[in-house]
Structures are given as structure tokens and as C-alpha cells.
Amino acid sequence: MVSELFAGRYLSTFKGRGMEFLEVREYVPGDDPRTIDWNVTARLGHPFVKRYAEERELTLLIVLDVSQSLNFGSTQKTKAEISAELTALLAFSALRNSDKVGMVLFSDKVERVIPPRKSRRHALRLIREVLSQHSTGEGTNLAEALRVVNRISKRRAIVFIISDFITDNYEKILATTNLHHDTIALVLTDPREEELPAAGIIQLEDSETGQRFLLDTTRADGRALYKEWTQNRRQKLIRMFGKIGMDSVFLKTDQSYVAPLIRLFENRARRFR
């Protein structure tokens, strides 16, 4: 996937965002008129243009939710398995384009911080950490993870948040993070988290607290209320991301994430041309 689908799109999406001023030189035919330095041109009487150098090395940070709710999956893969694949895809896409990549693993606390580096061995370490991570925390604290990101990343970075966003009280710090970094949310969902089947009386367990309860799924009105609640939650997330000007994509465990990610990258590339 990295070689055939994502490396080029990653390049067009994230490269060239940071530009460093180099010098002013005389205009020559073919130069982009938008780069003309009008102050120097007026002072010297003939056109001059500004030259910029692209910042070649970027930093990608993967903020990965490893809370117990990610272990849920009603199809062939759990949300945790999807998150591991996404980590590999992003890490090797960054490596392919000579960018550094680091990671913050979190549950109800920050489990581990892996500083950004640039090597194949380092990318493999990130994947190994994700696959071997077993969180003992109860709950999810995205706000604390973002505070760590803001503290350790002084320069602008690309921040991918991979989570089901089943957490509270993070909106303010998320907006702050998005001001300082190019922040993108990959929201993981499962079909059974969006709609309940008519399966009779079932026992459910909260994977993060261990609390168990019985639910009667034979009642159509109860299933409808549940579906409405999940749809409202999704729309609330979409409105919040839109309000702070942050890109997001919803990825389902029963569907391929390739097409949604490609659309995300292509939309961003068009927007930043």
C-alpha cells in the first residue's frame, strides 16, 4: 500500500507546507508573478521576486488510543488491529518521504512516548510497541495525551490521532493542538457501536470499567433510540472538527480504510495547492 497507493499522496499532501525565505533576486520570464516583492521592486525600479526553500524534513506524530475499548470488534478485525495497520501505513509513508515519525500511546494516562526518529528500524519499533501494548488503565484521556504532544513538540508537526473518541473534556486542548500542529483525526468505529441487532436479552460489559448490564434488544423503540444516540454522537464529532478547522475521517472495522484515506489525502492536496 505504501509503495503503490500512499507514498505519492503523502508527499503531495504534506510536503511544501513549510517554506523558508531564502533571498530576493531579479525577475526572469517564467517566474510566478505572485512571488514578486513589490517593496523591493518599487525601490529599485524593476521587478524582483522572493525565493523560498521547502522544508524537506517534517515530523509526524501518531497519537494512538490503546484503551480497552479499542479491543472491541464485531467483524473480522478489532479497532485495535485496524489502528496497528494504520500506524504501519503512516510510519512507512513518512519514512518513504524522509520524514521523522514518533508516537504517543495513551489510555486513561499516557502509556508511552516514543520520540520522532527516521529509520526503518525505528518504524518497526513503533509497530512492535503497538502490537505488544496491553493497557491496564480504565477509561480514555485524550486531553492528557494532547498536553504531552504540545509540550514535547515545539515545532509544527503533522499529528494523526487514531482513536474511537469515546472520551470527554478534550475539545479545548484539541483546538489548541490544531492551532500549533497540522492535526488529523482518524475515528475508528464498529457496526455494532452504531446499530444493535434484534438479538433478545443480551449481557453487555463495559470494556474499560468492567461494569455489566442486561439489555433487551427485542424492543424496536430501544434500538431506534440507540441508533439515534450514536448518530447524534457522530454528528457532534463532525461539527466539533469543523468548528476548529480540523480534518477528520471515520473508518469502520467492516470496511476497507484505503478509499477513505485516499480521499482525505487527495482533498487536502487540492486544498493546499
Side-chain angles (χ1 to χ4, degrees), residues 30-41:
D31 283 339
D32 188 343
R34 292 175 295 183
T35 63
I36 292 177
D37 187 323
W38 294 106
N39 290 330
V40 176
T41 297

Side-chain angles (χ1 to χ4, degrees), residues 55 86 102 155 159 161 188 234 257 267:
E55 288 186 14
L86 292 170
R155 297 186 61 187
V159 177
I161 304 172
L188 303 178
R234 180 188 178 104
Y257 50 77
N267 289 338

Side-chain angles (χ1 to χ4, degrees), residues 6-216:
F6 284 97
R9 289 181 173 89
Y10 175 96
L11 181 67
S12 63
T13 300
F14 299 112
K15 289 295 186 181
R17 297 291 311 282
M19 303 297 289
E20 181 182 2
F21 174 75
L22 281 183
E23 63 180 1
V24 173
R25 64 162 173 79
E26 289 191 55
Y27 174 89
V28 296
D31 283 339
D32 188 343
R34 292 175 295 183
T35 63
I36 292 177
D37 187 323
W38 294 106
N39 290 330
V40 176
T41 297
R43 189 164 64 247
L44 298 179
H46 56 282
F48 281 76
V49 295
K50 297 177 182 177
R51 285 191 62 224
Y52 295 88
E54 182 181 350
E55 288 186 14
R56 298 304 304 174
E57 184 179 89
L58 301 177
T59 297
L60 185 146
L61 276 176
I62 300 171
V63 182
L64 183 64
D65 186 348
V66 293
S67 64
Q68 295 296 325
S69 65
L70 270 288
N71 292 323
F72 180 75
S74 63
T75 59
Q76 291 183 341
K77 294 180 181 179
T78 65
K79 291 182 286 184
E81 290 171 323
I82 298 293
S83 71
E85 293 182 17
L86 292 170
T87 297
L89 186 61
L90 293 171
F92 279 105
S93 293
L95 183 64
R96 183 74 175 268
N97 288 285
S98 298
D99 291 335
K100 294 180 179 180
V101 58
M103 179 179 288
V104 176
L105 301 169
F106 74 97
S107 56
D108 61 343
K109 59 183 180 296
V110 173
E111 302 274 355
R112 185 159 300 183
V113 177
I114 304 174
R117 290 193 176 91
K118 184 171 59 174
S119 71
R120 181 179 178 84
R121 182 176 181 179
H122 178 68
L124 289 171
R125 181 201 170 188
L126 297 182
I127 299 166
R128 186 170 61 250
E129 293 285 353
V130 173
L131 294 174
S132 63
Q133 181 69 36
H134 297 289
S135 168
T136 58
E138 294 184 358
T140 308
N141 192 340
L142 175 57
E144 180 59 25
L146 294 177
R147 277 190 282 269
V148 170
V149 168
N150 294 338
R151 189 164 64 244
I152 66 175
S153 301
K154 302 304 181 184
R155 297 186 61 187
R156 186 172 179 83
I158 304 161
V159 177
F160 275 93
I161 304 172
I162 305 176
S163 173
D164 53 16
F165 285 81
I166 302 177
T167 179
D168 297 308
N169 304 319
Y170 63 88
E171 292 85 353
K172 187 174 180 180
I173 187 68
L174 181 63
T176 300
T177 303
N178 190 55
L179 283 175
H180 292 91
H181 303 289
D182 187 357
T183 310
I184 302 157
L186 305 184
V187 185
L188 303 178
T189 66
D190 186 272
R192 286 293 168 258
E193 293 175 328
E194 298 180 349
E195 188 171 0
L196 289 173
I201 298 176
I202 58 175
Q203 180 175 257
L204 301 178
E205 178 179 321
D206 187 318
S207 59
E208 297 190 346
T209 66
Q211 181 182 1
R212 296 183 179 184
F213 56 94
L214 294 176
L215 181 67
D216 185 0

